[in-house]
Amino acid sequence: MNLKLIITLVLGFITLTSFSQIQVDVHQFKTSDGTPYLDVIIDISGEDCNYKKLLDYWQSTTNITVIAESKGEVVEFSKVDLKSPQFTDSNEAFSTNQLHLERFSLPTGIYQISVKVKAKFEHLITRNITVSHTGMPEISSILLVEAYAKSPNDVESKFYRSGFEIVPLTGNKISTDVSQLTFYSELYNINDVVGEDSLFLLVFGLTDSNGLLNPNNTRYKRINAKSVTPIFETLPV
């Protein structure tokens, strides 16, 4: 059986290099056995961090609390003190963002994700999300990539995905200065439709203002189907 699968990315373009002091993204993925989980990514600008001069270096400590609630009850909870690297240059410290990823394995349901950040100021950001597990062919969230590097399989890092250490780009807006966009996503249970290791055609690209794929930003690729099929690609912008 031949399967043609289309992935579209809808993004906003702005000229600013800093989009927000605190950015929170919530992404849905699944483990190899189909268990759904959420990645809550918190991106904190250096200017918002509470840096202090300690001996001969600068360092900040940011208190982060992440709560997953469903029907008024707390289902998952995490509280951490995120320490920045030690900077000898204060300009470098205040211009470097701090990134934290919290991972929750959650059953199907409707959740409110609350993120409390206590840095130079206090922030509260909430996101509503539905976690589903149908067993049908599905696609994960689309993770925009800021940087990546090859990494061994046994690395203990929440930023590890399919052989790479991936630093996510938060938000759905990118600078007009960029010439290409790298993204990561996963397809689930495609092998149930076309067969294990069978080839299928993946079409992925950016849409225009009418929601149609732009031919200048569209790519085609044949991929072997797996229970979890990673998609790690780059598009011209």
Side-chain angles (χ1 to χ4, degrees), residues 18 20 26 30 38 41 50 55 70 82 95 97 112 118 123-124 136 139 144-145 151 160 164 170 172 187 212 230:
S18 178
S20 174
V26 181
K30 292 185 178 182
L38 297 182
I41 302 173
N50 188 22
L55 299 177
S70 181
L82 178 65
S95 62
N97 284 26
Q112 177 177 279
K118 185 176 181 181
H123 305 262
L124 174 62
M136 301 292 289
I139 183 172
L144 302 185
V145 177
S151 182
Y160 174 84
F164 292 89
T170 56
N172 64 347
L187 307 178
L212 301 175

Side-chain angles (χ1 to χ4, degrees), residues 94-128:
F94 285 98
S95 62
T96 302
N97 284 26
Q98 304 302 314
L99 194 67
H100 178 69
L101 188 154
E102 199 62 50
R103 179 165 294 166
F104 288 155
S105 179
L106 297 171
T108 58
I110 300 174
Y111 295 91
Q112 177 177 279
I113 307 298
S114 301
V115 178
K116 299 177 182 178
V117 178
K118 185 176 181 181
K120 185 183 296 184
F121 305 102
E122 293 190 12
H123 305 262
L124 174 62
I125 303 100
T126 60
R127 299 284 186 268
N128 294 318

Side-chain angles (χ1 to χ4, degrees), residues 18-24 42-49 97-98 117 120-121 123 125:
S18 178
F19 308 130
S20 174
Q21 287 186 319
I22 306 288
Q23 179 69 49
V24 174
I42 303 105
D43 191 358
I44 308 162
S45 72
E47 292 181 352
D48 199 53
C49 293
N97 284 26
Q98 304 302 314
V117 178
K120 185 183 296 184
F121 305 102
H123 305 262
I125 303 100

Side-chain angles (χ1 to χ4, degrees), residues 26 46 51 63 66 110 126 135 141 145 170 174 179 189 206 211 235 237:
V26 181
Y51 277 100
N63 180 263
V66 183
I110 300 174
T126 60
S141 298
V145 177
T170 56
I174 61 175
S179 60
N189 304 320
L206 303 175
L235 285 168
V237 175

